[in-house]
Amino acid sequence: MTEKEIRTIKKYYTRPVTAAAYLCTGLLSMFIWIFLDMIRSVVFHLSGSCMEVAYVAIAILLIYMVLFLFQGVSVIWGVRRKKWEVIQEKAHTYLSYTDRSAEVLAANTAIAAGRLMSRSGDDRVKTAGDISTAVGGLIGLHAIVSILFEIRKSAKRIADALGMKLPSVKLRVAVIILVPLVLQLAVATPYYVQAVRESREGAARAAVVLEKLEQVFEASCDRAYADDPMEYYKDYGYRVTGYLEHEDNDTESYLSATVNNDGVVEEITYSLDIDVNASKEDNIAQAKADLARLNQALRSADVPFLSPNLGEEHTLREDFIALFQQNSYYENCRSYYDEEGLFIGYYTESQEDYNDYSSSYIYMTVEPPEEEG
């Protein structure tokens, strides 16, 4: 064997593996991007997508697909040339290959059918066409990889017949796999570091406002509870709640304020207990008294509000009171005041389902008005 022929045998032994590694890793890079994007959203609570990582993943996919095609085609066409026949003759090893024409035909048929269906005006047919095209592509890739590994087996048999030592491809495959992962992590890591810093800063801003509100609620209400942003970060905000306990039963009314990571109160909710065994007039009077006490506690707090209406005096509207009075205790009702960012509703259960574990209450939310939201 000449030195050139020995190099050819080694090339046909190693390239099928590296070509398959380029193909699989190129496709895997897209899944790595999706996984890193999931970490960005779930762990670091960042919205949107990191396009820099996406660009790197797409670049890796394109480069690796080119390398896969180059190495794969060079091997497949190489074994068709005269020099490979000469090598087999010198090694006295004549090998046959599996006929892949049916597999190639199936791939081409699926792709052609998919393209035809993609022209349909029916979305379901278009989706089926996309699936057919993808399946055809996978069948085609499987055929190419199968051919490459048959050629690799041939190269190994020839090398064994000649007593030739073949090189290991483990290190090359490891590099092919690790390079995209390292590149994508290198691009994504600065965003993760920035997200951690921003989340800590946001949690610290929220903690200051939550502490102020909790102190006010503890002084003005019967008890209070606040989330701890330093213990668990929430991108949607934290809640601090003040409770009013009613001495005659186990129920209670409460006020809850939502504080965002800018340290600003962005939503207020009230829950006013209703006793279905008392008269409507007594319930309205109690609800008004509870609301006035809770609202006074809120307005006494020196904290920033996302909109001025959040920190203003909040009362039950007369039209809602009339609606509540004309219905029974076992009928839900609600009123919307979108221009004022206000919602008031009464929630209960049907008389048939009402039991000792049931509850009835007026629920009131105050948000920035629509034009400000």
Side-chain angles (χ1 to χ4, degrees), residues 141-259:
L141 290 174
H142 179 268
I144 294 173
V145 172
S146 299
I147 293 170
L148 289 174
F149 274 85
E150 284 192 355
I151 294 171
R152 183 174 190 264
K153 287 180 181 179
S154 299
K156 187 176 186 308
R157 289 175 185 173
I158 291 173
D160 291 341
L162 297 172
M164 182 191 305
K165 184 179 180 181
L166 293 170
S168 173
V169 292
K170 291 181 180 179
L171 181 59
R172 300 183 198 181
V173 171
V175 172
I176 291 170
I177 294 172
L178 290 176
V179 166
L181 179 60
V182 171
L183 283 175
Q184 288 177 276
L185 285 174
V187 174
T189 298
Y191 291 95
Y192 294 160
V193 173
Q194 181 184 359
V196 171
R197 182 175 63 252
E198 291 178 353
S199 65
R200 288 177 178 173
E201 292 173 353
R205 288 191 294 266
V208 173
V209 176
L210 287 165
E211 184 179 4
K212 288 183 179 180
L213 287 169
E214 186 177 19
Q215 290 175 352
V216 170
F217 291 173
E218 285 178 344
S220 305
C221 304
D222 297 318
R223 61 188 178 89
Y225 171 80
D227 292 335
D228 183 1
M230 306 309 294
E231 179 180 344
Y232 183 74
Y233 177 85
K234 297 178 181 178
D235 59 338
Y236 52 84
Y238 312 89
R239 297 180 75 87
V240 54
T241 306
Y243 298 89
L244 301 181
E245 298 178 349
H246 297 160
E247 296 180 359
D248 56 339
N249 53 45
D250 297 330
T251 59
E252 57 191 6
S253 297
Y254 65 83
L255 155 69
S256 185
T258 301
V259 180

Side-chain angles (χ1 to χ4, degrees), residues 31 52 81 100 110 139 180 255 303 331 338:
F31 289 97
E52 288 79 1
R81 298 174 65 182
R100 300 281 175 181
I139 294 173
L255 155 69
V303 294
E331 294 180 89
D338 295 335

Side-chain angles (χ1 to χ4, degrees), residues 25-71:
T25 308
L27 297 174
L28 182 63
S29 65
M30 302 305 295
F31 289 97
I32 293 174
W33 163 51
I34 294 171
F35 178 71
L36 293 176
D37 228 34
M38 288 174 60
I39 294 177
R40 169 187 171 88
S41 175
V42 176
V43 179
F44 298 102
H45 308 282
L46 294 173
S47 59
S49 179
C50 184
M51 295 310 299
E52 288 79 1
V53 179
Y55 296 147
V56 171
I58 293 171
I60 292 170
L61 176 62
L62 294 175
I63 292 171
Y64 272 28
M65 288 302 292
V66 169
L67 291 172
F68 161 71
L69 292 172
F70 169 74
Q71 293 199 344

Side-chain angles (χ1 to χ4, degrees), residues 71-190:
Q71 293 199 344
V73 170
S74 68
V75 171
I76 292 172
W77 281 105
V79 297
R80 297 171 181 267
R81 298 174 65 182
K82 182 66 177 178
K83 67 177 182 179
W84 185 245
E85 293 181 8
V86 172
I87 290 173
Q88 291 184 96
E89 289 174 359
K90 288 184 178 181
H92 303 290
T93 305
Y94 301 93
L95 304 170
S96 60
Y97 301 99
T98 304
D99 183 13
R100 300 281 175 181
S101 58
E103 198 170 352
V104 173
L105 177 62
N108 291 333
T109 301
I111 293 172
R115 290 176 178 174
L116 184 62
M117 287 188 287
S118 65
R119 299 175 183 176
S120 172
D122 191 325
D123 290 339
R124 290 174 295 182
V125 175
K126 284 185 177 179
T127 302
D130 293 338
I131 295 173
S132 178
T133 302
V135 170
L138 291 174
I139 294 173
L141 290 174
H142 179 268
I144 294 173
V145 172
S146 299
I147 293 170
L148 289 174
F149 274 85
E150 284 192 355
I151 294 171
R152 183 174 190 264
K153 287 180 181 179
S154 299
K156 187 176 186 308
R157 289 175 185 173
I158 291 173
D160 291 341
L162 297 172
M164 182 191 305
K165 184 179 180 181
L166 293 170
S168 173
V169 292
K170 291 181 180 179
L171 181 59
R172 300 183 198 181
V173 171
V175 172
I176 291 170
I177 294 172
L178 290 176
V179 166
L181 179 60
V182 171
L183 283 175
Q184 288 177 276
L185 285 174
V187 174
T189 298

Side-chain angles (χ1 to χ4, degrees), residues 320-334:
F320 172 78
I321 293 175
L323 182 63
F324 170 73
Q325 288 179 325
Q326 74 182 25
N327 291 337
S328 76
Y329 276 131
Y330 308 103
E331 294 180 89
N332 294 329
C333 63
R334 54 188 63 90

Side-chain angles (χ1 to χ4, degrees), residues 269-320:
T269 61
Y270 298 91
S271 180
L272 309 173
D273 176 56
I274 295 296
D275 182 4
V276 296
N277 296 313
S279 66
K280 291 285 186 73
E281 290 73 16
D282 288 344
N283 272 309
I284 290 298
Q286 183 65 57
K288 286 183 176 181
D290 289 349
L291 179 57
R293 182 178 170 187
L294 292 169
N295 180 245
Q296 179 58 39
L298 175 68
R299 288 189 291 135
S300 66
D302 182 20
V303 294
F305 294 97
L306 187 60
S307 177
N309 70 313
L310 297 174
E312 294 174 351
E313 181 180 3
H314 304 141
T315 60
L316 292 177
R317 300 303 172 87
E318 291 301 322
D319 56 341
F320 172 78

